[in-house]
Amino acid sequence: MNIVVLCGRIGNDPSIKYFDSGASKVEINLAVDTFKNKEKKTLWIKAVFWGTLAETVHTYCKKGEQILINGRLEKDTWTQKDGTTASMIYVSVVSLDLLRSGSERSASKAQEPLDVETQLSPDSMPF
């Protein structure tokens, strides 16, 4: 079974890449802390987001924020200029949780929530 769950901090501001097909992709480095014999070590892991998740990360996340990701391990292999083969393992993310404190959430709100009762009336319903 190939399931990865990680909690860590974003190591770079997410930048988005668009492809001719219309697909979007964001790659980040995720700093995950591990502890061994009371010694903290930081493990840097590449995480890749596609489509709607890529748009979400690009819009709402920034360097230093803590996130929780679920995904699977993937491996890319390529031939370098000198003819040697290189490879890299990364997490292909399938779900994301933004782990913000209450003050961070309220400070980052882009707009007020929709007040359904004042914005929608029975006359505006299509049925």
Side-chain angles (χ1 to χ4, degrees):
M1 194 176 298
N2 185 356
I3 299 172
V4 178
V5 179
L6 296 170
C7 181
R9 295 206 177 267
I10 300 172
N12 56 296
D13 283 324
S15 62
I16 196 160
K17 181 177 182 180
Y18 293 99
F19 297 92
D20 292 338
S21 66
S24 55
K25 176 182 175 182
V26 168
E27 295 180 5
I28 64 164
N29 294 310
L30 190 66
V32 178
D33 293 333
T34 60
F35 296 89
K36 185 175 182 179
N37 299 328
K38 297 184 182 180
E39 185 178 332
K40 176 181 157 183
K41 292 187 179 187
T42 301
L43 188 67
W44 289 94
I45 299 169
K46 184 175 183 173
V48 178
F49 303 81
W50 292 94
T52 305
L53 281 177
E55 299 285 341
T56 301
V57 169
H58 180 254
T59 303
Y60 297 106
C61 296
K62 63 183 179 195
K63 180 179 177 177
E65 289 186 333
Q66 191 173 31
I67 61 173
L68 177 80
I69 60 173
N70 292 288
R72 63 185 175 278
L73 292 178
E74 300 279 343
K75 182 179 179 182
D76 275 344
T77 304
W78 64 95
T79 303
Q80 301 184 90
K81 291 180 183 177
D82 64 1
T84 60
T85 301
S87 64
M88 174 182 55
I89 294 177
Y90 62 93
V91 177
S92 179
V93 180
V94 296
S95 71
L96 160 77
D97 287 313
L98 306 175
L99 304 177
R100 295 182 176 158
S101 68
S103 61
E104 288 174 319
R105 278 193 302 272
S106 61
S108 68
K109 283 186 182 174
Q111 57 182 317
E112 291 298 315
L114 175 66
D115 183 353
V116 176
E117 290 190 23
T118 59
Q119 303 251 340
L120 297 176
S121 69
D123 296 331
S124 68
M125 297 294 174
F127 47 89

